[in-house]
Amino acid sequence: GMITRVEITDNAISIGMIPTYSACPATSVIKQLIYEQLRKDMAGFEITVDEDKGIFWDTNRISESGKRKLEKESAGLYFFYGK
């Protein structure tokens, strides 16, 4: 997954996330969408969404359920996982 950390206190929620690759042009959009959704769902909490720069995404971060969904939806990715 892309979410690396979730911290919740009495009045704040902090989310750590990573892009699927370091130059991902959608990183700021993804961070903004996470922020907006949490702000909507968790009104009254201070929300922060940060990129965890020391953690890097790789395919091992995809859950088995996620791999099955990718396999079902995309024949190209099906072969990516060595089947």
Side-chain angles (χ1 to χ4, degrees):
M2 296 178 72
I3 303 298
T4 57
R5 174 179 43 79
V6 176
E7 297 172 355
I8 303 171
T9 64
D10 290 338
N11 63 348
I13 298 173
S14 177
I15 302 293
M17 57 84 59
I18 55 174
T20 55
Y21 69 100
S22 61
C24 178
T27 300
S28 61
V29 172
I30 294 167
K31 285 170 58 175
Q32 185 64 32
L33 291 171
I34 293 168
Y35 174 83
E36 289 172 4
Q37 189 65 52
L38 284 172
R39 188 162 173 200
K40 178 180 153 187
D41 293 344
M42 306 300 287
F45 281 80
E46 178 183 331
I47 308 294
T48 57
V49 181
D50 299 305
E51 187 176 339
D52 282 333
K53 301 278 187 187
I55 301 173
F56 302 97
W57 188 90
D58 66 39
T59 57
N60 292 321
R61 296 187 68 85
I62 302 173
S63 68
E64 289 304 315
S65 171
K67 288 177 184 177
R68 285 191 299 277
K69 289 175 186 173
L70 286 171
E71 191 174 286
K72 180 179 177 184
E73 299 296 324
S74 173
L77 288 173
Y78 179 80
F79 295 104
F80 180 74
Y81 292 105
K83 296 192 179 195

